[in-house]
Amino acid sequence: MKLTRRASVALLVAAPMVLGAGTGFAASAQADPHTTQLANSAAPGLEFATRTGSVDADQQMKVAVSLNYRDAAGLDAFLARVNNPSSAEYHHYLTSEQFVARFAPTQAQVDQVRAYLQGKGLTVTDVASNRMLIDASGPVKTVQSAFATSESRYHDNKTNKDFTANDTAPSVDSSVAGLIGGVTGLNNHYQMHSYTQAPKAGAPKVGSGPGGGYTAQELRSAYGVNSLVSGGTDGSGQSIAMLEFSHFTQSNISTYDQQYATGSPTPTVVKVDGGDDDTAGDGVTEVELDIEVAHAIAPKANVAVYEAPNSDQGEIDMWNKFVTDKVSVVSSSWGSCELDDTASTETAVDNVAKQGAAQGQTFLSAAGDSGAYDCYRHSGTQSPNANNLAVDFPGSDPYVTSVGGTSLSEGSGGSYAGETVWNEGSTKWAGGGGVSSKFARPSWQTGPGVSTSSLRQVPDVSANAQNYSIYTVGQWTYVGGTSAATPFWASVLTLANQQAVAAGHAKVGQVNSTLYQLGSSSSYGTLFHDITSGDNLHYSAAANFDEASGWGSPKADALVPNLSGGGTTQPGAPAVTNPGNQTNLVGDSVSITAKATGGTTPYTWSATGLPTGLSIASGTGVISGKTTTAGNYNVTVTATDAAGKAGSASFTWAVSTSGGSCSGQQLGNPGFETGSASPWSASSGVVSNASAGEAAHSGSYLAWLDGYGSTHTDTVSQSVTIPAGCHATLSFWLHIDTAETTTSTAYDKLTVKAGSTTLATYSNLNANSGYVQKTFDVSSLAGQTVTISFTGAEDSGLQTSFVIDDTAVTLS
C-alpha cells in the first residue's frame, strides 16, 4: 500500500541503523547492469571497407570521453538570450567558472564516469577543467572490453587507405550512459585536412608581391582595413588563436614580417596532447599562411598557434583547450566533410562551441575548397561521398562562422574593383557552401536570400581565396583557399574586438546573429560587398545572402565600428544604438526614444517599417503612437547628421492580437491547494494532503509522485499558453527523498518536460533534505500552447519520492 511504503521512509530517515539492512538489497539491484549503445560513436564509412584483421591486443590506444551538459535546455535558452539585443542578458557573457557552475556536469558526475572508466581497467590521463572531457588510455584489449566492441584493421576500397576502427558502436553501462555524450579515438578512418591551394611558384603574377600575389597593403586597401590600421585599430592588446595540425618555421614568418613591415609580435605555440606528431610537416604552408594573413590584417595582435595530433581525440582536446584558455578569436583552416565525420566528434565540438559562445568567444572555420561537394579531394584517392552535395564541419556548426571564398579584382593603388565566387572550373577548386545534413537552421539565420530550409546554410561570409603573397618553406609564392579567407575574417573581427574594448563594450562573441541582423538591414550595402556573380559548382551567387558567398566580403572601415558598437554606420556618421527587438499587443501605447552618438549634431530622424499606428519625431527620435494592426515588422531607424552622413539600426517589432500582456502567472491551481488535480491531469493519488506523510512547501497540498518501492510510474501535467513575444519562466519547488542511499546509480527518475522538450531529469542521486526551487527559461516556446509535465518512474527496488509544490509559469 502506498502510505505504508511512504511511512517506512520516515522510519529510515529517523533510524539510520535500519539502512544497514537495506544495503544488501541495493547491491543486488546493481548486480546485473544494463548497457546502452552509443550510436553516435560508430565508425563512419565501414560499408566501403574490407576488414583485413584484428588490431594487436597489446597496442596502446587513447580515447576521449565527452560528457553531456547538466542543463542542455537551459544552456540553449541562455545562448538565445545572450545573443538577442532585446534581452537584458545581451552580451553579458559568463566567465568559465560561472559556466562550469551553471551548465557543466557536477564534480560528482565527473567522478562517477572517471571511476567507471578506471573500473574497466583504463588509465584516466586527464580531466578537463570545464568537466566536459575525460581522456583515457589502455591496451586495445582493455579498450575493447571497456566499451563492448572490437577493434579491427580495415582497407577502404574507395580511398585505398588502411585504417583501424571499432567494428560496432561502443556500449557503456546504463548507470553512466546518461552522462556520456560520446567516445572518440576508436577509429582513424578520416582525418581533418587543410584548405590551402598549393603554392603557385612560377604561375602568372597577380598583385605586386615578390613571387606574385596580393601584398599585405593591397589586401588591406581592397577591403577598407588600411584606414583602421593607420588610425590605431591594428589588433593591439588582442589575440587570435590558430587551430593547426602541423608545424611552422619562425624564420619564414620573420621574412614575411620584414618584407611588409608588419611589426608583429612573435607567435606563441601551445601544444595539445604533445603537439603535432607529423614530422613531415605536410601542413606547414597552411600554418604559415594563417599566421601571415593575421599579421597582414591585424599586425599588432598576438597570434597563438595551437598544435595537436590530427586525430579525433586531438581535435576535441584542442577545442576544449580553446574554451578553458578563454581565447577571444579562433581561426580554423582545417575541416572534415560532414558526411565523412564521426558523429560523436561533431557532438563534442558542438558542446565546446556552445561554451565558447556563452563566454563571448568567436570561432571561425573555412567552408572548404571543393565548392558544394566538400567530400571531393584534390589529391589522393576519393571519398565515397565525393559526388554528393555536402558541407564542411566545423563551419556547419551554428556556433561557428563559416567563411567562403571569392576571387578578388583590384584596381590601381590596390582599390577594390570587384569579386566573384571563387571557382576554377574543371579543377573543381571552388569556395565551399551549401546546406548542412546535420544541424538545424538556427533562429538567427534569416534574411533576404536565406532559404526556408529547416537546415543550417553556409557560408555565413566570404573573402578573397586567391593570390595571397606569402613566404613559406623558404620561398616567396602565392597561395589561396578558404583557409586564407578565414584568418582574414578572424583578423577583421579582432579589430572589432579592439574597438569594442576601447569603448567599454563587450567583444563580438558568437557573431553570427549580428552578421545576419546587419545583412538584413537597409545599410547592408555600406557594410558588405554583395557578391552577385559566379557559382560554387552548384549554388549561384545572388543579391544578399546565398549559399555560394554568404553575405559577401567586408567593407571593414564601416563594418568594424558597427560590430564593436551595435549600430549601422557610414565612416564618420552617427552610430545608432539598437533598441533591441520589440513586442506589443494591438492597442498598446508606445513611447521609445531612439539614440545615437558621433557624427555632427543635430540629427534628423526617420524610420521605415514601423508598426501601423506608430511614427517617429524627426527632431527628437521619439517613436510613439498606438499599435493598431497585428503583424511582424522589420524596422530600420536612421539618424542623419548635419553633414548629411547617416547611421541606422534595424530590429524586429512583433504586434500580437491575443495572449494577454507579458506579465503574470499562467498555471491553474499552481500549489494544488484546491485539494484536487484540476486543471492538472494526474495519476491517482498524486495530488495529496501534507498530512499523508510529506510536508508541503507552502499551504496544505502537494504533488507526490512515486514512493512505492515497486515498479511504478506517476504523472502530473497541465497545458499552458505562452503568448508570442513574451519571456516565460517555469519554476517549481522539488523535494526528493529516497531509500536508495548506498548507490551511485540512478534507479528512479523524474523527467520534466515542456511540450516535447526535456528540461531536466532528476533521480534518487539528487535526494535532498528539503525543497529546492528549480527554474527554466521556456521563452523559446512563446506563441505556443504546450504541456508542462512531470513523470516519475520508479523501479522494483527501494523507494524514491518526488514531491512537487508551488509551480509557476511566469511571463515578463
Side-chain angles (χ1 to χ4, degrees), residues 274-327:
D276 168 46
D277 58 3
D278 178 14
T279 56
D282 291 340
V284 64
T285 295
E286 176 61 71
V287 185
E288 292 175 353
L289 169 67
D290 291 346
I291 298 169
E292 291 173 11
V293 170
H295 283 187
I297 306 304
K300 296 304 171 62
N302 296 300
V303 174
V305 181
Y306 283 65
E307 296 180 359
N310 193 347
S311 64
D312 286 351
Q313 184 191 20
E315 178 185 359
I316 293 170
D317 285 349
M318 181 147 49
W319 276 85
N320 219 57
K321 182 70 170 168
F322 290 140
V323 297
T324 55
D325 284 358
K326 294 166 281 190
V327 180

Side-chain angles (χ1 to χ4, degrees), residues 118-289:
Q118 291 172 329
K120 294 291 185 178
L122 295 172
T123 299
V124 172
T125 57
D126 186 58
V127 177
S129 60
N130 64 348
R131 302 181 192 153
M132 293 301 300
L133 193 67
I134 299 176
D135 287 342
S137 65
V140 166
K141 58 188 176 185
T142 304
V143 172
Q144 293 178 144
S145 175
F147 298 112
T149 187
S150 54
E151 291 286 322
S152 295
R153 292 181 286 110
Y154 285 89
H155 180 77
D156 191 311
N157 303 311
K158 297 287 187 178
T159 66
N160 198 33
K161 173 187 174 182
D162 293 323
F163 65 96
T164 61
N166 46 310
D167 299 323
T168 59
S171 296
V172 295
D173 289 359
S174 57
S175 61
V176 295
L179 303 177
I180 294 177
V183 180
T184 54
L186 297 175
N187 84 87
N188 62 358
H189 192 180
Y190 300 112
Q191 289 184 313
M192 296 188 78
H193 46 270
S194 61
Y195 292 118
T196 301
Q197 193 178 43
K200 296 182 175 179
K205 187 173 180 178
V206 179
S208 62
Y214 292 126
T215 67
Q217 291 85 353
E218 286 168 337
L219 290 168
R220 291 202 299 262
S221 177
Y223 287 115
V225 177
N226 263 338
S227 61
L228 294 170
V229 173
S230 62
T233 302
D234 53 12
S236 295
Q238 299 302 307
S239 62
I240 309 173
M242 302 296 179
L243 181 155
E244 308 291 0
F245 296 105
S246 190
H247 308 291
F248 70 97
T249 301
Q250 178 55 42
S251 61
N252 291 325
I253 308 302
S254 298
T255 299
Y256 181 91
D257 291 342
Q258 291 165 8
Q259 174 71 25
Y260 297 126
T262 65
S264 301
T266 301
T268 59
V269 175
V270 180
K271 291 186 178 294
V272 180
D273 292 348
D276 168 46
D277 58 3
D278 178 14
T279 56
D282 291 340
V284 64
T285 295
E286 176 61 71
V287 185
E288 292 175 353
L289 169 67

Side-chain angles (χ1 to χ4, degrees), residues 540-578:
S540 296
N544 304 294
F545 177 88
D546 55 71
E547 290 95 341
S549 66
W551 291 108
S553 62
K555 297 180 178 180
D557 50 356
L559 182 62
V560 164
N562 174 64
L563 290 172
S564 63
T568 303
T569 66
Q570 300 169 350
V576 178
T577 302
N578 195 313

Side-chain angles (χ1 to χ4, degrees), residues 203-219 222 260 408-415 464 466-470 477-478:
K205 187 173 180 178
V206 179
S208 62
Y214 292 126
T215 67
Q217 291 85 353
E218 286 168 337
L219 290 168
Y260 297 126
L408 171 69
S409 297
E410 289 196 354
S412 61
S415 61
N464 181 48
Q466 288 186 302
N467 309 319
Y468 282 72
S469 171
I470 69 167
T477 185
Y478 63 97

Side-chain angles (χ1 to χ4, degrees), residues 64 105 252 291 300 312 347 355 373 416 574 608 655 701 722 746 790:
N252 291 325
I291 298 169
K300 296 304 171 62
D312 286 351
T347 299
Q355 178 174 352
Y373 302 91
Y416 181 88
T608 60
V655 179
Y701 288 86
I722 303 175
F790 303 84

Side-chain angles (χ1 to χ4, degrees), residues 57-71:
D58 294 321
Q59 178 180 317
Q60 287 292 309
M61 286 190 69
K62 297 179 179 179
V63 295
V65 178
S66 58
L67 305 184
N68 292 322
Y69 284 120
R70 181 169 75 248
D71 181 9

